[in-house]
Amino acid sequence: MNTDIDPAELIKKLNLHSEDKQSATELLSSYLQDELNNLEGSQSNYIDELPIEEKQTMYALIAQNDTLADIDLQYQLELHQLNTKYQKLKAEQVYDIRNKYINGSASPKLEDIQKGKEIYDEEDEDIQQDLEYKGIDSFWLTALSNLKSCSSIISDRDSEVLQYLKDIRCEYIPLSKDEDDENVFGYSLIFEFGENPFLENKTITKSYYYANEVDYEGGLVYKFTEVEEPLAWKSDALNPTVEVHVKKQKSKKTGKVRSLKELVEVESFFKFFSPPDLSVLDEIEDDDEAAEVQDELEEQMGLDYSIAEELKTNLIPKAIDWFTGDALNYVDNDEEDEDEDYEDYDSQEDEEDSEEEEVDELSGAPQTQPPECKQN
Amino acid sequence: MNTDIDPAELIKKLNLHSEDKQSATELLSSYLQDELNNLEGSQSNYIDELPIEEKQTMYALIAQNDTLADIDLQYQLELHQLNTKYQKLKAEQVYDIRNKYINGSASPKLEDIQKGKEIYDEEDEDIQQDLEYKGIDSFWLTALSNLKSCSSIISDRDSEVLQYLKDIRCEYIPLSKDEDDENVFGYSLIFEFGENPFLENKTITKSYYYANEVDYEGGLVYKFTEVEEPLAWKSDALNPTVEVHVKKQKSKKTGKVRSLKELVEVESFFKFFSPPDLSVLDEIEDDDEAAEVQDELEEQMGLDYSIAEELKTNLIPKAIDWFTGDALNYVDNDEEDEDEDYEDYDSQEDEEDSEEEEVDELSGAPQTQPPECKQN
């Protein structure tokens, strides 16, 4: 085992080969492997060095992991049924009422106003009665804009369309069997639009299906996603995912000038509704090219899945708090956030002494509470 | 809203006041608040600026969060019953057999050896029959030592005791009601020891109870932990949580010298079995002092809970892989890990150009797979 590896030295090597990702990856992998080997108690090829009876015992023990994965899948299927039931309950008891208040199709109950006013800690003001309620303007656009993964992809043109968004809801797809007797289960994200000048669609339904297996930690793995019906824009000019470029061409024969419309793709939130088509892989004959395209598609799908997770787990349950911005006080800062927050400090101050510890102590999320229980 | 805040400038201010944690915290909080305010779509006191009917609608909407929390608690209680059922299933179908193989009380089945050998990808070697199986030496000590949270607190003296550890298991405490009709539920971590020169206890049971409420994200919150019976060390000298210091005292009257034994607390894994006693808070009269002690106790409890989570969620299901060290390839590197891994690089290289992006791309966990689904 090599205990003398210098990460900085290694990264320098990485830089030298930065155009050659394959070799850089191998180098870093071997570094990470060495790091792992150096951890206390950890040994590579631990089993190989055991006496034969312990080695065979280890084989028998390793075999148990498979049984565990089978039980984990059964657990996930039952959990899905539990989630289906509770998602329905939440829709009936909370989300449907919420939706009516947001869109002005029902006037808020006095008791609800009173209760929320107390929670908001607003005491001075009297509740006014007999008002005409019209709902909250651009509720879902504002809420979406506070989600980090979405704010970065919502363009100004997207906002014009998203102001007509009337609801985002999640419905679980209950467990069923396909023709091969495989489990089919997942969830749908449903985007509902009011009458608007841009989109023909009244609802856009994007469904996520899970694979019939669990990952190393016993969690569900996505299989694929599909959009029920494609987006129908009222005209190309109103489609925020493209820019219409007009090319003038002069005929060599007749000398006549004609205009050719060219659609150029631009970044847009609405590309979320045109997820990458994995079947393109079947058409690529060159293996290296296929591998490259696959990596790219997997990265895109990873991003797609993480947006879906965020909408399902963060946005929908706490839509009110995402609208007001309050949810930002509670959201876990993920690694990226922290990295970004402290980049300047790292680069400017890290030659200095023990201040880093001081800052770490202060850098936690705004709330302090015991760690929540992440169930299995 | 202040959009001109410079984090580096602010951190410099922090350094100036580094001895005054209170003001430093306030400064950083206000910075973080400004950061939040600057996020697109987010506004502080958003509600106050709305027209009265929208304001009242917002109050009514805020009231829904309470109903949602009630449903989330019901969900967690049902989920707990599901987890209780599956934990039992896993014990019966996997953990009990595993335990017999580890401790040599049953010989591994040929079919298990064959299956594990295939998974481990060992093809050359024939399976030997009629061996005498004695189990795996120091299995649980080795597995524990690979868990980051534990390796840092296991002393050499702890290791001498932990080599006699025969099992670590988790049993769910099924939902019941206490005398106030409150829900009682949680789980127990059970440590089983073989005959050894150190401890009288055959088993140590540490139980974790949940509060009858959910946190902001709908997850469970810990209420308290308790150890069933205290550790009974065969002698003070064999107790790894203390060092025995001998003081010699000479009597002023008689001139006789007597030896006084003094027990000095030292760091030890076994302190996990003497969790802090929160009742000390009741005895402190000074409010400031109580607040300080409370902060300290909460930090200790946070650490305690996170070790319990790690044992329950990581160690027990994948004990085999923690023993071999393979689990280290799959474990999520948390923020701290990443910071540590790349500290050297940050300090030496960050003046250079765009290489950072290159490295980020390669720095993920060893496996690449779509993000797993974190259920509610």
Side-chain angles (χ1 to χ4, degrees):
Chain A
M1 269 184 269
N2 183 355
T3 53
D4 296 317
I5 255 186
D6 178 358
E9 204 49 47
L10 191 103
I11 297 291
K12 274 198 186 136
K13 280 187 205 160
L14 263 181
N15 291 348
L16 287 175
H17 297 283
S18 64
E19 280 159 46
D20 184 350
K21 282 190 186 178
Q22 186 58 32
S23 85
T25 308
E26 279 166 17
L27 226 68
L28 197 63
S29 302
S30 103
Y31 160 62
L32 287 170
Q33 196 51 52
D34 280 323
E35 279 280 286
L36 293 177
N37 292 344
N38 291 340
L39 281 170
E40 196 189 333
S42 158
Q43 301 195 19
S44 70
N45 306 323
Y46 195 100
I47 294 176
D48 297 339
E49 290 154 24
L50 293 175
I52 181 68
E53 61 276 9
E54 294 200 11
K55 206 167 173 174
Q56 293 195 170
T57 300
M58 280 310 301
Y59 291 149
L61 286 169
I62 286 171
Q64 319 294 318
N65 284 346
D66 265 20
T67 315
L68 216 52
D70 292 342
I71 301 176
D72 277 330
L73 179 59
Q74 283 311 312
Y75 170 81
Q76 289 293 352
L77 296 175
E78 269 204 61
L79 180 59
H80 185 74
Q81 286 173 299
L82 187 68
N83 289 337
T84 306
K85 172 181 151 186
Y86 272 90
Q87 190 68 17
K88 213 166 154 243
L89 211 65
K90 285 181 183 180
E92 286 164 7
Q93 295 187 14
V94 180
Y95 301 151
D96 291 351
I97 302 168
R98 206 172 74 171
N99 187 29
K100 283 179 187 155
Y101 291 174
I102 290 169
N103 293 305
S105 66
S107 298
K109 283 188 205 159
L110 261 184
E111 60 181 274
D112 279 352
I113 299 174
Q114 187 57 47
K115 191 175 167 190
K117 198 165 153 279
E118 277 161 29
I119 296 171
Y120 191 69
D121 212 10
E122 171 67 79
E123 285 167 8
D124 303 335
E125 206 172 64
D126 287 330
I127 292 176
Q128 293 185 31
Q129 299 199 25
D130 303 320
L131 294 172
E132 200 186 324
Y133 288 99
K134 291 176 184 170
I136 310 283
D137 260 356
S138 298
F139 179 92
W140 288 100
L141 167 62
T142 309
L144 268 183
S145 302
N146 272 328
L147 281 184
K148 201 180 160 192
S149 61
C150 294
S151 68
S152 59
I153 52 172
I154 296 176
S155 70
D156 290 347
R157 287 176 66 199
D158 290 335
S159 295
E160 285 183 58
V161 190
L162 290 170
Q163 64 176 304
Y164 295 96
L165 196 51
K166 290 186 71 170
D167 197 18
I168 303 178
R169 58 181 181 273
C170 172
E171 285 173 13
Y172 277 69
I173 301 164
L175 185 62
S176 65
K177 299 273 182 184
D178 67 7
E179 59 268 31
D180 302 321
D181 206 37
E182 287 267 308
N183 296 309
V184 178
F185 64 125
Y187 62 90
S188 299
L189 294 172
I190 301 159
F191 295 73
E192 192 185 330
F193 284 87
E195 193 62 54
N196 71 80
F198 302 92
L199 266 176
E200 300 285 2
N201 313 57
K202 288 286 161 283
T203 56
I204 310 172
T205 302
K206 190 173 181 191
S207 299
Y208 289 83
Y209 292 91
Y210 294 120
N212 200 26
E213 61 186 66
V214 292
D215 62 17
Y216 182 78
E217 286 163 324
L220 289 174
V221 176
Y222 281 111
K223 194 171 176 182
F224 69 100
T225 174
E226 65 180 12
V227 179
E228 219 159 72
E229 51 176 323
L231 300 189
W233 297 101
K234 292 192 177 171
S235 81
D236 285 339
L238 295 168
N239 175 352
T241 71
V242 290
E243 265 174 26
V244 182
H245 291 199
V246 180
K247 249 192 194 168
K248 293 209 184 275
Q249 279 188 330
K250 195 172 177 179
S251 166
K252 283 178 189 167
K253 283 185 190 162
T254 64
K256 272 191 185 166
V257 176
R258 63 172 186 180
S259 296
L260 268 185
K261 252 179 38 175
E262 194 187 26
L263 299 181
V264 179
E265 286 206 15
V266 293
E267 287 304 311
S268 164
F269 172 78
F270 285 92
K271 286 193 171 172
F272 181 63
F273 301 109
S274 318
D277 181 6
L278 296 173
S279 68
V280 296
L281 284 173
D282 301 334
E283 287 156 30
I284 303 173
E285 281 175 19
D286 181 66
D287 282 351
D288 286 348
E289 196 191 331
E292 209 171 286
V293 173
Q294 180 158 8
D295 282 353
E296 207 177 294
L297 288 177
E298 274 175 10
E299 199 186 310
Q300 286 175 29
M301 288 316 299
L303 191 68
D304 185 291
Y305 295 147
S306 69
I307 292 176
E309 290 280 334
E310 203 170 3
L311 298 178
K312 174 167 86 89
T313 313
N314 295 339
L315 178 72
I316 294 172
K318 299 284 172 182
I320 314 307
D321 300 353
W322 286 106
F323 173 79
T324 62
D326 279 357
L328 290 163
N329 294 313
Y330 291 94
V331 84
D332 275 345
N333 288 334
D334 61 20
E335 299 140 29
E336 269 179 86
D337 283 330
E338 302 231 338
D339 281 352
E340 278 169 26
D341 282 356
Y342 293 103
E343 201 167 24
D344 283 342
Y345 172 72
D346 278 343
S347 59
Q348 294 181 27
E349 307 275 338
D350 54 9
E351 286 84 10
E352 289 182 32
D353 51 20
S354 63
E355 300 299 345
E356 196 161 2
E357 219 177 287
E358 182 80 27
V359 172
D360 275 343
E361 214 171 323
L362 301 167
S363 69
Q367 83 285 27
T368 54
Q369 49 192 28
E372 67 164 313
C373 169
K374 302 276 183 208
Q375 294 292 353
N376 277 37
Chain B
M1 271 186 269
N2 181 353
T3 53
D4 297 317
I5 257 189
D6 177 358
E9 204 50 46
L10 190 104
I11 298 290
K12 272 197 188 135
K13 280 186 206 162
L14 263 182
N15 290 346
L16 286 176
H17 297 283
S18 64
E19 278 159 48
D20 184 349
K21 281 191 186 179
Q22 187 57 33
S23 85
T25 307
E26 279 165 17
L27 224 72
L28 197 63
S29 302
S30 102
Y31 160 62
L32 286 171
Q33 196 50 52
D34 280 324
E35 279 279 285
L36 292 178
N37 291 345
N38 290 340
L39 280 170
E40 195 190 332
S42 157
Q43 300 196 21
S44 68
N45 306 323
Y46 196 100
I47 294 176
D48 297 340
E49 291 154 24
L50 293 174
I52 181 65
E53 61 276 12
E54 293 201 13
K55 206 165 172 176
Q56 294 194 167
T57 301
M58 279 311 300
Y59 292 149
L61 286 169
I62 286 171
Q64 318 295 318
N65 283 347
D66 267 18
T67 316
L68 215 52
D70 292 342
I71 301 176
D72 276 330
L73 179 59
Q74 283 311 311
Y75 170 80
Q76 288 293 350
L77 296 176
E78 270 204 63
L79 180 58
H80 185 75
Q81 287 173 298
L82 188 66
N83 288 337
T84 306
K85 171 180 149 187
Y86 272 89
Q87 191 70 15
K88 212 165 154 248
L89 212 64
K90 285 180 184 181
E92 286 164 5
Q93 295 186 14
V94 179
Y95 301 152
D96 292 351
I97 302 168
R98 207 172 71 172
N99 188 28
K100 283 179 188 155
Y101 290 174
I102 290 169
N103 293 304
S105 66
S107 297
K109 283 189 207 157
L110 261 184
E111 59 182 273
D112 279 352
I113 299 175
Q114 187 58 48
K115 191 175 167 190
K117 198 164 152 281
E118 276 162 27
I119 296 171
Y120 190 69
D121 214 9
E122 171 66 80
E123 284 168 9
D124 303 334
E125 208 171 61
D126 287 330
I127 293 177
Q128 292 185 29
Q129 300 201 24
D130 302 319
L131 294 172
E132 199 186 324
Y133 287 100
K134 291 175 182 168
I136 309 281
D137 262 356
S138 297
F139 179 91
W140 288 99
L141 166 60
T142 308
L144 269 181
S145 301
N146 273 328
L147 281 183
K148 202 179 160 192
S149 62
C150 293
S151 67
S152 59
I153 52 173
I154 296 176
S155 69
D156 290 347
R157 287 175 67 200
D158 290 335
S159 295
E160 285 182 58
V161 190
L162 290 171
Q163 64 177 305
Y164 294 97
L165 197 51
K166 289 185 72 171
D167 198 17
I168 302 178
R169 57 181 182 274
C170 172
E171 285 174 11
Y172 277 69
I173 301 164
L175 185 63
S176 66
K177 299 272 183 186
D178 68 7
E179 59 268 32
D180 302 323
D181 207 37
E182 285 267 307
N183 297 310
V184 178
F185 64 125
Y187 63 90
S188 299
L189 294 173
I190 300 159
F191 295 72
E192 192 186 331
F193 283 88
E195 193 62 54
N196 72 80
F198 302 92
L199 268 175
E200 300 284 2
N201 313 56
K202 288 287 159 285
T203 56
I204 309 173
T205 302
K206 191 173 182 192
S207 299
Y208 288 83
Y209 292 91
Y210 294 119
N212 201 26
E213 60 185 67
V214 293
D215 62 17
Y216 182 79
E217 285 164 324
L220 290 173
V221 176
Y222 282 111
K223 194 173 179 184
F224 69 101
T225 174
E226 67 180 11
V227 179
E228 218 158 74
E229 51 176 325
L231 301 190
W233 297 101
K234 294 193 176 171
S235 82
D236 285 342
L238 294 169
N239 176 351
T241 71
V242 291
E243 265 173 24
V244 182
H245 290 198
V246 180
K247 249 190 193 169
K248 293 208 184 281
Q249 278 189 332
K250 197 173 176 179
S251 166
K252 283 178 188 167
K253 283 183 189 163
T254 63
K256 271 190 187 166
V257 175
R258 63 172 187 180
S259 297
L260 269 185
K261 254 177 43 176
E262 197 187 25
L263 299 182
V264 179
E265 285 206 16
V266 293
E267 287 303 312
S268 164
F269 173 78
F270 285 91
K271 287 195 170 171
F272 182 63
F273 300 109
S274 317
D277 180 8
L278 297 173
S279 70
V280 296
L281 284 174
D282 301 334
E283 288 156 30
I284 302 173
E285 282 175 15
D286 181 68
D287 281 353
D288 286 348
E289 196 192 332
E292 210 171 285
V293 173
Q294 181 159 7
D295 283 353
E296 206 176 293
L297 288 178
E298 273 175 10
E299 199 185 312
Q300 286 175 30
M301 288 317 299
L303 191 67
D304 185 291
Y305 295 146
S306 69
I307 292 176
E309 290 280 336
E310 202 170 2
L311 297 178
K312 176 167 83 89
T313 314
N314 295 339
L315 179 72
I316 294 173
K318 297 284 173 183
I320 314 306
D321 299 352
W322 287 106
F323 172 79
T324 61
D326 278 357
L328 290 162
N329 293 314
Y330 290 94
V331 83
D332 274 346
N333 287 336
D334 61 20
E335 301 139 27
E336 271 178 81
D337 282 329
E338 303 229 340
D339 283 351
E340 278 170 27
D341 282 355
Y342 293 102
E343 203 167 20
D344 283 343
Y345 171 73
D346 279 340
S347 59
Q348 294 182 25
E349 307 276 336
D350 54 10
E351 287 83 11
E352 290 185 30
D353 53 19
S354 64
E355 301 298 342
E356 197 160 4
E357 219 177 287
E358 182 81 28
V359 172
D360 274 343
E361 214 171 322
L362 302 167
S363 71
Q367 83 285 27
T368 54
Q369 48 193 29
E372 67 165 312
C373 168
K374 301 274 183 212
Q375 294 292 351
N376 275 37

